[in-house]
Amino acid sequence: MSMGGCLVQSQYGIVSDDRSNLSYNKNLYGQWTNETNLYNIFYNPNTKTSYYWVVEADEKIGLAAKSDIVEFNLVKIAGSLYVDMQLTEYKGKKTHNILKIEFIDPNTLYVYLFNLDKDYLQRHSDEITFANSKGAADSEDFLITSGTKQLQQFIKKHDHLFDGNPLVFRKVKGTNNDTVKGLLKSYFGIKNN
């Protein structure tokens, strides 16, 4: 979502092993725009889960590179909705990035970043674990290493960390079904009826 440098990286995600906390929201489908980008968000019904893909849209969306497609999950924790996506990498492995989302109305979506810093992590080291991602102890870059259950509990207790000015997305229109079918077939070998 063009904010990779601002995202907290976690070794594990927030999707429960039994996938019981996955959420589905048809209002998420469609073309969304913020100040700088246009995105198509759609659901792949053949996965039988709440996976979505986000594709930056342009005049040649049907020719989008596979790297432009980001798979993510919509997750519910304590009544709030979060996005768990794999967008950044740490030592060659994909890491999870967690955002909070809030539907203001069916056509307005607020996205909140996880405003977590190393000092806060150190003060709450009994609740969450992390590692210095650049190797140096004085580095401000970190990777959350807590497992899924511990991370879910931390987010539930410290939900206030998803604060500040949200990124505002507005729905432009519904996603073009022919475009979605073409992308699913071209990049994932999926036939979508």
Side-chain angles (χ1 to χ4, degrees):
M1 283 194 171
S2 300
M3 50 188 154
C6 305
L7 296 172
V8 171
Q9 295 182 61
S10 177
Q11 186 174 358
Y12 302 99
I14 55 174
V15 177
S16 298
D17 288 343
D18 64 0
R19 305 182 76 74
S20 61
N21 65 344
L22 288 178
S23 186
Y24 166 84
N25 191 317
K26 65 180 181 179
N27 288 330
L28 202 51
Y29 301 170
Q31 277 191 350
W32 294 84
T33 185
N34 63 5
E35 292 178 1
T36 57
N37 295 303
L38 182 67
Y39 301 93
N40 264 308
I41 300 180
F42 59 96
Y43 174 68
N44 173 11
N46 296 329
T47 62
K48 297 180 181 164
T49 66
S50 296
Y51 288 122
Y52 297 82
W53 279 291
V54 180
V55 180
E56 187 167 343
D58 60 25
E59 293 175 3
K60 298 179 182 177
I61 186 171
L63 303 173
K66 194 167 183 177
S67 60
D68 294 334
I69 299 172
V70 178
E71 187 176 355
F72 67 95
N73 288 291
L74 193 59
V75 178
K76 188 173 274 192
I77 298 175
S80 295
L81 288 175
Y82 300 88
V83 168
D84 180 339
M85 63 181 169
Q86 292 183 303
L87 187 63
T88 56
E89 288 193 8
Y90 171 70
K91 293 188 177 179
K93 292 185 178 179
K94 289 279 187 182
T95 58
H96 295 260
N97 307 118
I98 301 159
L99 307 165
K100 183 177 180 179
I101 67 169
E102 179 181 11
F103 284 96
I104 304 306
D105 58 53
N107 297 313
T108 308
L109 179 67
Y110 283 5
V111 177
Y112 297 89
L113 300 179
F114 199 0
N115 293 315
L116 183 61
D117 62 35
K118 195 170 170 183
D119 289 339
Y120 196 90
L121 286 171
Q122 289 172 332
R123 289 194 310 273
H124 295 87
S125 60
D126 58 327
E127 300 174 54
I128 193 164
T129 57
F130 69 97
N132 295 312
S133 60
K134 299 291 184 192
D138 61 349
S139 170
E140 289 302 313
D141 296 314
F142 59 86
L143 173 73
I144 294 174
T145 56
S146 291
T148 297
K149 286 183 182 179
Q150 189 178 17
L151 184 55
Q152 289 171 347
Q153 288 302 313
F154 184 82
I155 287 171
K156 186 176 178 180
K157 185 175 178 181
H158 301 273
D159 181 71
H160 64 278
L161 294 171
F162 294 91
D163 61 1
N165 293 327
L167 299 167
V168 179
F169 289 80
R170 302 206 188 279
K171 187 180 277 189
V172 179
K173 61 182 177 179
T175 298
N176 181 306
N177 286 334
D178 291 335
T179 298
V180 171
K181 287 177 184 178
L183 288 166
L184 290 171
K185 185 177 179 183
S186 297
Y187 297 109
F188 304 102
I190 297 168
K191 292 180 183 175
N192 188 357
N193 300 326

